[in-house]
Amino acid sequence: MDAIHKKVLASKTTAIMNTISNPTLIAAQLGSVFCPSDKEIIKATENRLGSIHASQTLLSLLEKRGPKAFDKFLTVLKNPDNRLTHLADDLLEAERELRGEQGQ
């Protein structure tokens, strides 16, 4: 994941954690990004500590999953079944703002 995407996630961590009510489902839909043990860690965290902590775990793992992880995360958020399009739009807007500040 590139530095801009990491900054976007860092700046929106609280919003993401408070918005994603089922991080286990999101992790399952990110099957091409997360390995089975990642998904189990997220599920176990959700069972023990709740969705906010599991969302934080999901974000932490997501940052380490390569250059396409951010885009795949957005795709999952935009899935109509998840009803998180507004969150994806917010992340995209934050990315545009950061890239604009750098003249890209």
Side-chain angles (χ1 to χ4, degrees), residues 1-2 4-6 8-9 16 26-27 29-35 38 58-78 88 91-92 95 99:
M1 184 173 297
D2 74 25
I4 296 288
H5 291 155
K6 288 181 181 183
V8 168
L9 292 179
I16 295 167
I26 300 298
Q29 293 175 358
L30 286 165
S32 63
V33 174
F34 292 133
C35 65
D38 292 337
L58 183 147
L59 292 175
S60 177
L61 293 169
L62 187 68
E63 285 186 0
K64 302 170 188 167
R65 293 303 176 257
K68 296 183 181 180
F70 185 82
D71 292 332
K72 290 180 181 183
F73 181 56
L74 292 179
T75 300
V76 168
L77 293 179
K78 289 179 182 180
L91 295 174
L92 281 169
E95 179 186 13
R99 292 197 188 282

Side-chain angles (χ1 to χ4, degrees), residues 39-69:
K39 291 183 240 178
E40 280 299 315
I41 289 168
I42 293 165
K43 182 178 179 180
T45 302
E46 186 170 10
N47 289 339
R48 280 185 296 117
L49 302 172
S51 65
I52 290 177
H53 289 283
S55 295
Q56 186 175 29
T57 301
L58 183 147
L59 292 175
S60 177
L61 293 169
L62 187 68
E63 285 186 0
K64 302 170 188 167
R65 293 303 176 257
K68 296 183 181 180

Side-chain angles (χ1 to χ4, degrees), residues 87-101:
L87 181 57
D89 292 342
D90 193 29
L91 295 174
L92 281 169
E93 181 61 29
E95 179 186 13
R96 277 189 223 105
E97 289 175 12
L98 286 171
R99 292 197 188 282
E101 290 174 8

